[in-house]
Amino acid sequence: MCGIVGYIGVKPVKKILIDGLRELEYRGYDSAGIAVLQEGSFSLFKAVGKLIHLEEKAHDYESSGFAIGIGHTRWATHGKPTELNAHPHMGANSYVVHNGIIENYQELKAMLIHEGANFVSQTDTEVIVHLFEHYLKNTPTPFDAFKQTLAKLEGAYAILLITGSASDTIFFAKNGSPMIIGKNSDNETFFGSSDAALIGKCTEVIYLEDGQYGYASGEVIHLYNGESHDVTLRFTPLSGNKLSAQKEGFRFFMEKEIYEQSHVLADTLMGRLRDEQIHFEELESGLFEGINEIKLCACGTSYHAALTASYLFQRHAAIRTSVEIASEFRYREPYLTSDTLFIVISQSGETADTLESLKMAKRHGLKTMVICNVDNSSMVRLADASILTRAGIEKGVASTKAFATQVCVLWMLSLYLGEIRKTLEATEIRRQIGLLRTLPSTVTVDSNMHEQLRRLSKRYLHGHGFFFIGRDVFFPLALEGALKLKEISYLHAEGYPSGEMKHGPIALADPELFTIALLPQHKLYDKTKSNVEELSARDSTICSISPLDFDKADDHIRTKQLDDYMLEFFEMMVVLQLLSMEIAIRLGNDVDMPRNLAKSVTVE
Ligand code: F6R
């Protein structure tokens, strides 16, 4: 989500770092910073907001001759987007930049404060630099201190660290977050969290693997693996195309974002799952006191996440739950009571209708919460409480990974509430936490499945419409599947509860009406199957998505046998995203920027 760069060499270091950060800015931009070490003295610049603010702050600074530097563009996870929370974080004589989350930072911080360390930020990252300096006091070399520091860290990280004790050296480590080292024929050394930051500067790179760490001094790189074994440096050539580097080999950002759902869901879950408990560090304990009802409010895809949550909140937490489309809610003169928690859901945090609904709820004195992907957004600033979904920047206009992370947070929140309200047994919470842990592997795209969908897509390019149907949480998923298809293929599609078809829409059934039927094994399978059979009997063309065989289908997409309907939900979500994308690609549409749409809808 954040971006990291580093440089060792004789060229003007500020420009190199800021140029690299500019290539990474699309990943996160709530603050940025650089630290440069030249001839034993440090220069540090940090600024909140876009990179341009950092450039303005560092305007008068120039280095000449050999220097080392590290830089970072931040997408906040711990602590608000302020200058103090921006990276690089400093100790007495060292600086660090970090991507990922240090899960045990609170206990490390307590220990370091006890030892006399002075913390200035709210971030998890700052513990790294203080821990390093703590070990440096009693260790023969800075590299030993760095190794001891890594041994104490739990969680995911990509780290660059520089210190006055080794003024030609950058220490680096990777575990769970990407880190690349690059070289060129001028013997300069570069670091980047994505190759987009290195293109045009390096000719060859090493993609570090998890557990690798080391240091680069001047022109020499020393790389080790987990057991302190020297690793042979194996460089690979770096391609020269920036846009394709950002897309990381995928045809569209949407495709890349579908594939990265596994990683972003791991980020969403990080630090939030205990054995028998969901842990939301950002929520105050009294938030749900006196709350007897939940009202969820959102637009578009986020509304579909809200609808999904309404099933889970009632089922897990036995709490009255209603769902509102924000543009309707605003003008409906709703009856609101102060025992209601008002939760808005928004990827951007800026959608005008949702933002106004949030303001309205606040005016009525309701407690408010936002589930959002952008930390410094208007909704996060306004709501009483917020939970960040940690999806990273979504570039494709059609939302994919943002939806996945919203549903994941809402599922966790339903368990969190179930525990507070004592409506779920500890064994059931434990079971569902076990399921949540498998989400990243559940949404990993199976290449055979993707190929089947690509081939199948050619049969669905015409017709007079699509019905996506399902029951329970598979009804909001059907709505979302239909929305994905219409947004990027421009074909007419509707989502419907499968039991409702016989109350009118079944009149449309004929071979040119395509029914995409969601038939999960673990939720109302027989009921949904009967509804699909009714459509099949009227000669609608049926494409079923199910782990179980279905002989009335014209096409069948076989999903995995999974342990629970929520896992089936997430797998079917991926199938629907890929199917829409493949249909849109065959129709020759611009999948990332469909006509008439905008990523952030800040008008009514
Ligand atoms: C569909 C999509 C939109 C958004 C909607 C709300 O793919 O992205 O329907 O979900 O405009 O946006 P946010 O979540 O930013 O409030």
Side-chain angles (χ1 to χ4, degrees), residues 295-307 322-329 342-347 351 353-355 357-358 371 379 406 410:
K295 208 174 250 311
L296 297 149
C297 183
C299 301
T301 288
S302 299
Y303 168 73
H304 299 152
L307 264 185
S322 56
V323 191
E324 305 274 358
I325 291 180
S327 55
E328 283 299 302
F329 174 77
F342 192 81
I343 305 183
V344 288
I345 302 166
S346 174
Q347 187 283 129
T351 303
D353 285 319
T354 315
L355 183 59
S357 302
L358 175 62
I371 292 170
M379 288 184 216
Q406 286 169 345
L410 288 159

Side-chain angles (χ1 to χ4, degrees), residues 102 105 108-109 112 119 124-132:
I102 304 301
Y105 84 99
L108 293 173
K109 188 168 176 175
L112 289 161
F119 279 80
D124 52 335
T125 302
E126 199 184 344
V127 296
I128 302 170
V129 70
H130 290 302
L131 202 56
F132 170 77

Side-chain angles (χ1 to χ4, degrees), residues 299-302 346-348 351 397-399 483-484 487 601:
C299 301
T301 288
S302 299
S346 174
Q347 187 283 129
S348 61
T351 303
V397 164
S399 184
L483 180 63
K484 284 295 83 86
E487 279 181 294
V601 187

Side-chain angles (χ1 to χ4, degrees), residues 146-394:
F146 186 65
K147 281 197 286 187
Q148 290 182 32
T149 303
L150 297 180
K152 287 282 177 207
L153 301 181
E154 288 170 18
Y157 49 78
I159 295 170
L160 295 181
L161 183 143
I162 57 178
T163 173
S165 314
S167 57
D168 64 346
T169 302
I170 294 183
F171 298 92
F172 59 84
K174 172 195 173 357
N175 190 35
S177 295
M179 175 67 80
I180 303 162
I181 308 178
K183 292 291 286 178
N184 62 17
S185 54
D186 296 338
N187 276 325
E188 297 166 293
T189 306
F190 296 82
F191 294 87
S193 51
S194 155
D195 44 15
L198 306 179
I199 285 174
K201 303 185 184 84
C202 306
T203 44
E204 48 179 16
V205 290
I206 302 174
Y207 295 87
L208 295 190
E209 287 170 20
D210 283 345
Q212 292 189 329
Y213 60 94
Y215 60 98
S217 291
E219 297 168 7
V220 188
I221 299 165
H222 302 269
L223 180 61
Y224 302 88
N225 71 11
E227 293 86 38
S228 265
H229 290 142
D230 256 315
V231 176
T232 313
L233 301 179
R234 285 190 212 288
F235 285 93
T236 53
L238 181 65
S239 102
N241 181 324
K242 280 188 188 170
L243 191 64
S244 83
Q246 284 193 351
K247 289 189 193 153
E248 290 167 14
F250 292 101
R251 293 166 292 174
F252 291 95
F253 280 108
M254 181 183 179
E255 186 176 34
K256 170 174 168 279
E257 287 159 6
I258 293 171
Y259 271 73
E260 77 191 9
Q261 289 179 116
S262 171
H263 291 295
V264 297
L265 281 171
D267 283 342
T268 307
L269 296 169
M270 201 183 295
R272 289 170 170 165
L273 301 183
R274 304 276 151 89
D275 285 345
E276 282 180 3
Q277 228 186 12
I278 300 290
H279 177 69
F280 282 117
E281 184 184 67
E282 50 278 76
L283 299 188
E284 283 175 14
S285 55
L287 183 69
F288 291 95
E289 266 165 33
I291 295 298
N292 295 312
E293 182 175 345
I294 290 179
K295 208 174 250 311
L296 297 149
C297 183
C299 301
T301 288
S302 299
Y303 168 73
H304 299 152
L307 264 185
T308 309
S310 71
Y311 290 83
L312 302 180
F313 284 179
Q314 294 182 79
R315 191 164 286 150
H316 297 157
I319 187 159
R320 230 181 359 256
T321 308
S322 56
V323 191
E324 305 274 358
I325 291 180
S327 55
E328 283 299 302
F329 174 77
R330 286 178 66 180
Y331 301 106
R332 206 159 53 67
E333 296 168 39
Y335 174 65
L336 299 171
T337 54
S338 60
D339 63 346
T340 301
L341 176 67
F342 192 81
I343 305 183
V344 288
I345 302 166
S346 174
Q347 187 283 129
S348 61
E350 304 295 346
T351 303
D353 285 319
T354 315
L355 183 59
E356 284 309 313
S357 302
L358 175 62
K359 288 181 186 163
M360 221 169 106
K362 283 194 79 100
R363 278 199 300 276
H364 279 79
L366 268 57
K367 274 194 197 171
T368 57
M369 181 195 273
V370 58
I371 292 170
C372 192
N373 193 31
V374 182
D375 191 13
N376 54 348
S377 60
S378 304
M379 288 184 216
V380 170
R381 290 199 301 269
L382 198 64
D384 300 319
S386 55
I387 303 180
L388 295 180
T389 52
R390 305 178 183 163
I393 287 186
E394 195 176 53

